[in-house]
Amino acid sequence: MFERFTQPARTAVVSAQEHAWSFQHDEIGVADVLLGVLADDRSCAARALRRLGIEQAAVSAQIGSGSGETLGTADAEALSSIGIDLDEVRRSADQTFGGGALNRPRRQRRGLFGHRGGGGHVPFSRESKAALELSLRTAMARGDHYIGTEHLLLGLMATEDGSALALLRRINPTLDGDAIAAAVNEELKRSA
């Protein structure tokens, strides 16, 4: 399937892997793929999301960093409401176990598409695999003979679990799949 990916779509997948490494995720989740799609601000998907008020920094803030868990701003606020200070937990772990204890790198692995940087190959989550398959189906349904970032984004929006759309709704509560598809179509018309 990756042979059908455009260069920007391949770059998005490599970037998703790099985001998974940096967040120390055990697998490439839909949030990582979403960040990968947003990494190239010239891509169709990134332009469409910007049109809807979605920036890479806002998505990154939602998924958090460091511990490998997807603890973002909303999660820190929820923990705070029950008396748990996430920053204090991190400071305490650093004091007890050494600086960056919650951020220790995983073992080195091989990269995707021959990419040698970062921490190596990280497998795709079940939902991310479904999103990639749905991106292929979306491309075929549209009559496209390639898979671009626009197809990756639409595939992310079409997953049964809906995690990517839920993440985007934490940034912009009015978003829905139709609005994202319309923004993608508008960007495709502009670039034609």
Side-chain angles (χ1 to χ4, degrees):
M1 174 170 69
F2 287 119
E3 65 273 1
R4 289 185 176 204
F5 278 47
T6 62
Q7 189 56 49
R10 286 176 182 247
T11 300
V13 173
V14 169
S15 183
Q17 183 178 32
E18 290 169 352
H19 286 288
W21 289 328
S22 70
F23 289 115
Q24 297 183 357
H25 295 160
D26 289 327
E27 53 190 9
I28 301 169
V30 294
D32 299 310
V33 177
L34 191 56
L35 282 171
V37 163
L38 283 162
D40 178 0
D41 61 352
R42 296 168 296 161
S43 75
C44 176
R47 290 189 323 263
L49 287 171
R50 270 197 319 275
R51 175 185 291 273
L52 298 168
I54 303 294
E55 299 286 339
Q56 186 179 25
V59 173
S60 186
Q62 285 297 315
I63 67 169
S65 65
S67 70
E69 298 298 320
T70 56
L71 294 176
T73 306
D75 299 307
E77 290 171 5
L79 288 170
S80 178
S81 73
I82 59 170
I84 298 172
D85 181 347
L86 188 57
D87 291 329
E88 183 56 36
V89 170
R90 289 181 194 273
R91 278 190 292 277
S92 177
D94 287 349
Q95 183 178 16
T96 304
F97 301 106
L102 296 177
N103 301 330
R104 297 241 163 88
R106 294 188 178 1
R107 62 185 172 86
Q108 295 290 314
R109 304 177 196 166
R110 293 189 53 168
L112 189 62
F113 296 128
H115 184 72
R116 296 196 174 263
H121 177 71
V122 179
F124 287 94
S125 70
R126 179 191 54 76
E127 189 176 9
S128 292
K129 286 178 188 176
L132 293 175
E133 182 180 320
L134 289 165
S135 69
L136 172 63
R137 290 181 185 192
T138 299
M140 291 170 50
R142 295 172 68 98
D144 297 329
H145 298 288
Y146 65 92
I147 299 171
T149 60
E150 63 274 21
H151 302 109
L152 290 174
L153 177 58
L154 294 173
L156 284 166
M157 295 304 106
T159 63
E160 187 176 308
D161 292 350
S163 299
L165 183 56
L167 187 151
L168 294 177
R169 281 185 175 160
R170 290 197 311 250
I171 299 166
N172 179 347
T174 65
L175 279 182
D176 62 20
D178 292 338
I180 293 168
V184 165
N185 288 331
E186 184 62 31
E187 286 304 322
L188 287 171
K189 286 179 191 173
R190 287 178 147 210
S191 64

